[in-house]
């Protein structure tokens, strides 16, 4: 039901695309593959998530929405949120959480295996 003349969907490598783009966007969706599959990968993964979100915050129009997700088992919800907030601060953008996502009921979380809570996301309003 969208007017094709009023919107455009793009599926690209987001790092390359946002670096090269001179456009500001109304909506940006960041849904990368898992950056941290091991504990050793966490430092590089947090840098990757921060850089990705920083680029998005620099390319989103005021009043835009950023959907940002992580499916890395070794990145906790709290750490992901801190990384995203750090990117917003570095981009000098005020953000508000509109919604937080987690995995659905068909991905139950084992209390003895907290890494099993690996799907997480934020829907952010960017001023």
């Amino acid at each position: 039901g969208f007017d094709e003349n009023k919107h455009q969907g793009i599926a690209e490598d987001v790092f390359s695309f946002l670096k090269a783009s001179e456009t500001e966007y109304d909506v940006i969706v960041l849904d990368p593959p898992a950056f941290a599959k091991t504990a050793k990968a966490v430092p590089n993964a947090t840098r990757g998530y921060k850089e990705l979100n920083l680029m998005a915050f620099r390319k989103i129009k005021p009043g835009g929405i950023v959907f940002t997700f992580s499916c890395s088992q070794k990145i906790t919800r709290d750490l992901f949120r801190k990384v995203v907030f750090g990117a917003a601060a570095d981009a000098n953008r005020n953000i508000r959480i509109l919604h937080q996502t987690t995995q659905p009921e068909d991905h139950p979380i084992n209390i003895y295996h907290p890494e099993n809570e690996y799907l997480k996301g934020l829907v952010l309003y960017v001023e």
Side-chain angles (χ1 to χ4, degrees), residues 13-23 25 51-52 55-56 58-59:
D13 175 278
V14 70
F15 286 102
S16 301
F17 181 81
L18 287 177
K19 275 184 188 172
S21 177
E22 295 180 18
T23 304
Y25 299 93
E51 180 64 24
L52 184 61
M55 288 191 298
R58 289 180 173 158
K59 298 292 183 175

Side-chain angles (χ1 to χ4, degrees), residues 7-80:
H7 85 282
Q8 178 184 15
I10 302 163
E12 296 281 340
D13 175 278
V14 70
F15 286 102
S16 301
F17 181 81
L18 287 177
K19 275 184 188 172
S21 177
E22 295 180 18
T23 304
E24 286 189 322
Y25 299 93
D26 296 309
V27 175
I28 295 176
V29 179
L30 306 173
D31 191 15
F35 285 174
K37 294 184 179 182
T38 66
K40 190 175 181 179
V42 169
N44 284 337
T46 55
R47 282 191 293 277
Y49 285 120
K50 186 171 184 179
E51 180 64 24
L52 184 61
N53 283 277
L54 179 62
M55 288 191 298
F57 293 141
R58 289 180 173 158
K59 298 292 183 175
I60 195 80
K61 290 180 182 177
I65 306 292
V66 172
F67 295 78
T68 184
F69 302 97
S70 168
C71 62
S72 294
Q73 286 188 0
K74 299 297 181 180
I75 302 293
T76 65
R77 290 175 59 89
D78 185 51
L79 178 56
F80 182 65

